Amino acid sequence: MRVVKEPGAAHSGLSDWYWQRLSAVVLALLLPLPFFLLVAVYGGAVDQQGLLDILDHVVSRLLHTILILALIIHAYMGLKVILEDYVHTIAWRIPLIGAMLVMMATFGIWWLAMIWAWI
Amino acid sequence: MTYLSTDNVENHFHDVVIIGSGGAGMRCALQLADAGHRVAIVTKVLPTRSHTVAAQGGINASLGNVLSDHWHWHMYDTVKGSDYLGDQDAIEYMCRAAPRIVRELEHQGVTFSRLENGTIYQRAFGGQSREFGEGGQALRTCAAADRTGHAILHTLYQQNLRAGTHFYQEFFALDLITDQDGCHGVMAWDIANGTYHLFQAKAVILATGGAGRVFKTTTNAHICTGDGGALVLDAGLPVEDMEFFQFHPTGIADIGPLITEGVRGEGGYLLNAEGERFMERYAPTAKDLASRDVVSRAIALEIRAGRGCGPNKDYVLLKLDHLGEELIMKRLPNIHELALRFAGVDCTKEPIPVQPTMHYTMGGIPTNYHTEVVYTDGDDTEKVCGGLYAIGEAACVSVHGANRLGGNSLLEIVVFGHACGERVNAFLKQRRYHPPLDKDCWKKAVARVEKWFHSTDREDGPRVSDVRKRMQTIMQDHFSVYRTEDVMREGVEQIEAVAKELKQARMDDACRLFNTELVEALELENLMGLARVTAAGALARTESRGAHARDDYPDRDDQLWQKHTLAKIGESGVELDYKPVRTQPMTVASFPPKKRVY
Amino acid sequence: MAEIIKLSVFRFDPEKDDKPFMQTYEVPLLKSGMKLLDALNYIKWEIDGTLTYRRSCGEGVCGSDGLNINGVNGLACITPIEGLKQPIHVRPLPSMHVIRDLVVDMDHFFDQYRQIKPWLQSESPMPEHERLQSPEDRERLDGSYECILCGCCTTSCPSWWWNGDRFLGPAALLQANRWIVDSRDEATGERLDQLEDAFRLYRCHQIMNCMEACPKELNPTAAIGHIRRKLLSRKS
């Protein structure tokens, strides 16, 4: 007989799910934009200077920032769920999720720094 | 720690032990658990697997949600339906309690279908009238689509989870512990772990259901093996009116699954091979909604006259496609599913092949309307066996007499489940302590099981399943809808022979863990006792009454036979005795016997 | 000569066997429309009395005989033999502790059912008559009250396989939703509170095995979606 002692609700399910879905919507809207831009570049409609002008524009930078944040949130939530599904030992699960968070945050900061030309 | 002369029996102490987790047992358990008693349900299956779950059509109560209604009319119909063999005090008790108990079920969460004004939906069912048969068809049967039993059983299980009832699941009851003061407990076998348990209790309640599996074709589950009745017989107490087995007019032909009377209540009707709506001939007023025994006999006569359908001309058709797909899917979705799966028929387009199929055990453990088990002691035909109660289909209160009305079985289990709870609650105030038991009281039960394990060493002797099949075939062939002296006499002899054969039977499975062959063997022992009693009682009753219809005695004989059969199994075989019907209701005037016309 | 059906049945005797094995049986096709339970009964009654499985009503309403049949969960008593690829592989419900042969331990499954408090909770005083409920409100219970607790859905759910100790599983969540939508129940808030958990509810990844497996053709995934929407609208 497998006796399970029920720990009760952690009241965190909705926000996780909410952020994952919200980020998915943002990705669905914003992710096509860079591809349009690429197509435009390869199709010859925009030259290198034009491309840089578009990317430099403050609206592009804002959209780009939102895209990166959404991407990181979405990836973090998704990978966290996978880790929770398959890594059953809490002592492994939490460090793994933590490590993942640090990696993604580093990656995100690096990218944001590029967009806003901090360096 | 045990004071028994063995350490292999685990001891449990409860205030009340209920055997059986069907509607009756759970309703009673709920009452007692809510009153703060330590209640144990000992059941051979998991809860919600009990056969209450298969009840379809509904539960009768004179709520008057559609047409005006009164419990007294309901009582009249029940008495008439019972062919005047029902005990009228018990019937009055049940019909009076019905509206309150059904509303209570609603409060507990049963998903009744609803009328536009939000009250419980009620449909027409067989044998039910208004104004004592003068006011036309009554609408009295409260329904949750066609899954009423399922809805009620699950609700009662849920309420028991809330109330904290102890469930001993997959425990098979082997033997009642009785002495001159009554019943003090029960020995049981833990099927999964293969161990013995003694449940000591101040009150033992038998809620073990019917014995439909004595017949070959039945609407009943494999688990309906009359275990309570057999325990009582084994304890030297009688069972009552076992010759009355109800044949439901509309079981799916050859296979058995039930097609509810609600189909006819919603407007479906029966057709013979000539496409004739033959019930108009047999019951000009009620037609297809005559009482079940009447409709079953009519179908049997049609088949006998060569007007049956199919290659063997052995079934009739139940037509409901004219009701329209919308109504069928809303009110009878489960019927649609069953017909499709078991008869291969889409009932929104074609009729369903049906034939009378064994359905309900009117007889059972004799009780008074307080649900106390009674027996005859000298002149006292109602002597109470202390601490022993019986409810539901296992009991014979008797509210159904010789024929049960559709919708009264679910009512019986909840009304008498409740009544039993009340009575036991009062009884527990008198019986404050568990009396000490004989230290050898475990031996009979253990011997009962161990003998089967010894049988696995033998190569000779019939297998349990062979004996069961023979018993079921004999009962089916000799004690069906129509019965005659010669056929039954032959049946009695054959049943007695098969009962002897059972003593030589063997099983294959020697494993102690989850040995379902052992369970089937024990169930067969239970069935066999009841089959013997049924056969003997049916042969002795030289009249036709309700479900007991004889070609050689076609009429009811109230002078001689308005009495209950009591049967025991003694050294020399089945011993029959009789007791009068309680024709005096609690408060109203008695309904004297009249000719039954529908 | 009747047509012969081949079955390959999962066997495990805890007293004798270290490991389970598959045993082959041959059963005649007794009649058209024969169900798998008829074949198992034939084996038990005519060939091998040691075969162990649960069964009760035989018509698909009690939920005893949930099995894994050719890789798909279903009830033996309503699964027709015809149309099944032979040999028919009959196994116990996946991811469950096997007690013997086809019999599994259902305790945890029923515990999870109890966890969602599957009974009517109401503060307002008991009315004299029935609690009124419009036919439309009653109709919202269709598709969930019919559940027979057979376990076919829950044991087909990969999320429950990986996290069955904490994820409640489709059957329990379908019932949780049944009480949330019941117009008579007044504990919706507490029920939602109890479900607001990344494991208990949100472990559902909409794999939809439950819906495929349900012998009563119910849709637990939709019920779980409904609970999520309820939680979302409560917070928004």
Side-chain angles (χ1 to χ4, degrees), chain C residues 151-172:
Chain C
C152 286
C153 59
T154 294
T155 59
S156 73
C157 174
S159 284
W160 197 77
W161 298 344
W162 312 144
N163 287 291
D165 52 344
R166 293 171 71 182
F167 177 45
L168 290 171

Side-chain angles (χ1 to χ4, degrees), chain B residues 471-486:
Chain B
M471 178 201 74
Q472 289 171 335
T473 310
I474 294 167
M475 293 303 288
Q476 189 82 25
D477 294 347
H478 296 81
F479 301 93
S480 195
V481 178
Y482 273 100
R483 301 168 171 180
T484 55
E485 181 84 13
D486 296 342

Side-chain angles (χ1 to χ4, degrees), chain A residues 2 4, chain C residues 105-113 160 164-165:
Chain A
R2 185 167 46 161
V4 179
Chain C
D105 184 350
M106 298 289 282
D107 284 357
H108 178 54
F109 176 80
F110 277 98
D111 277 353
Q112 290 193 314
Y113 179 59
W160 197 77
D165 52 344

Side-chain angles (χ1 to χ4, degrees), chain B residues 114 158 170 222 465 469, chain C residues 35 45-46 54 56 118 131:
Chain B
R114 299 291 171 150
Q158 292 158 359
E170 301 187 314
H222 290 281
S465 54
K469 206 187 300 168
Chain C
K35 304 290 187 277
W45 297 341
E46 310 289 338
R54 289 191 180 107
S56 172
R131 285 199 180 83

Side-chain angles (χ1 to χ4, degrees), chain B residues 163-372:
Chain B
T165 306
H166 298 258
F167 281 92
Y168 291 89
Q169 297 161 15
E170 301 187 314
F171 277 60
F172 193 91
L174 296 168
D175 185 31
L176 294 176
I177 309 296
T178 51
D179 64 14
Q180 64 283 355
D181 291 335
C183 187
H184 306 295
V186 62
M187 278 289 294
W189 166 257
D190 179 349
I191 299 171
N193 296 308
T195 50
Y196 295 100
H197 295 254
L198 171 64
F199 291 90
Q200 241 182 289
K202 300 166 197 167
V204 174
I205 299 163
L206 300 169
T208 51
R213 285 280 155 179
V214 295
F215 287 88
K216 193 166 91 184
T217 312
T218 168
T219 65
N220 284 192
H222 290 281
I223 57 168
C224 297
T225 54
D227 302 333
L231 286 176
V232 161
L233 277 178
D234 210 33
L237 294 165
V239 289
E240 181 177 340
D241 287 345
M242 282 304 291
E243 63 268 35
F244 296 101
F245 273 93
Q246 178 168 72
F247 283 78
H248 195 289
T250 57
I252 292 179
D254 294 332
I255 307 170
L258 175 68
I259 300 296
T260 173
E261 195 165 296
V263 171
R264 283 169 287 139
E266 297 288 345
Y269 52 81
L270 293 161
L271 297 173
N272 62 17
E274 293 162 9
E276 183 204 359
R277 194 174 168 186
F278 58 88
M279 277 315 296
E280 289 175 342
R281 267 190 283 123
Y282 294 92
T285 320
K287 300 194 181 94
D288 296 88
L289 284 176
S291 204
R292 284 180 181 170
D293 56 333
V294 176
V295 182
S296 286
R297 277 200 296 278
I299 296 174
L301 287 176
E302 287 299 304
I303 291 170
R304 203 187 276 190
R307 291 193 287 272
C309 307
N312 302 324
K313 293 183 175 248
D314 60 352
Y315 60 81
V316 295
L317 296 172
L318 175 61
K319 181 176 156 63
L320 68 158
D321 49 290
H322 58 284
L323 302 178
E325 192 173 337
E326 192 189 326
L327 185 133
I328 291 174
M329 296 317 282
K330 187 170 170 201
R331 299 279 187 227
L332 304 163
N334 190 41
I335 291 305
H336 181 259
E337 190 182 314
L338 282 175
L340 203 60
R341 282 190 169 135
F342 288 94
V345 161
D346 179 357
C347 67
T348 60
K349 298 190 178 70
E350 303 161 85
I352 308 172
V354 292
Q355 64 187 186
T357 308
M358 191 277 131
H359 180 57
Y360 188 83
T361 317
M362 263 82 71
I365 305 158
T367 71
N368 56 25
Y369 71 86
H370 303 299
T371 73
E372 293 158 330

Side-chain angles (χ1 to χ4, degrees), chain A residues 49-106:
Chain A
Q49 194 54 49
L51 179 70
L52 285 175
D53 284 347
I54 292 170
L55 286 179
D56 253 3
H57 195 274
V58 67
V59 175
S60 306
R61 287 186 180 189
L62 274 173
L63 287 176
H64 204 151
T65 305
I66 294 168
L67 175 68
I68 288 304
L69 287 176
L71 195 66
I72 286 172
I73 288 169
H74 195 73
Y76 169 70
M77 290 298 174
L79 287 170
K80 179 168 159 256
V81 164
I82 292 171
L83 286 175
E84 284 168 346
D85 273 350
Y86 297 105
V87 181
H88 284 261
T89 320
I90 300 283
W92 278 106
R93 186 192 282 169
I94 292 170
L96 276 172
I97 292 175
M100 191 178 73
L101 187 60
V102 170
M103 267 167 57
M104 287 185 175
T106 315

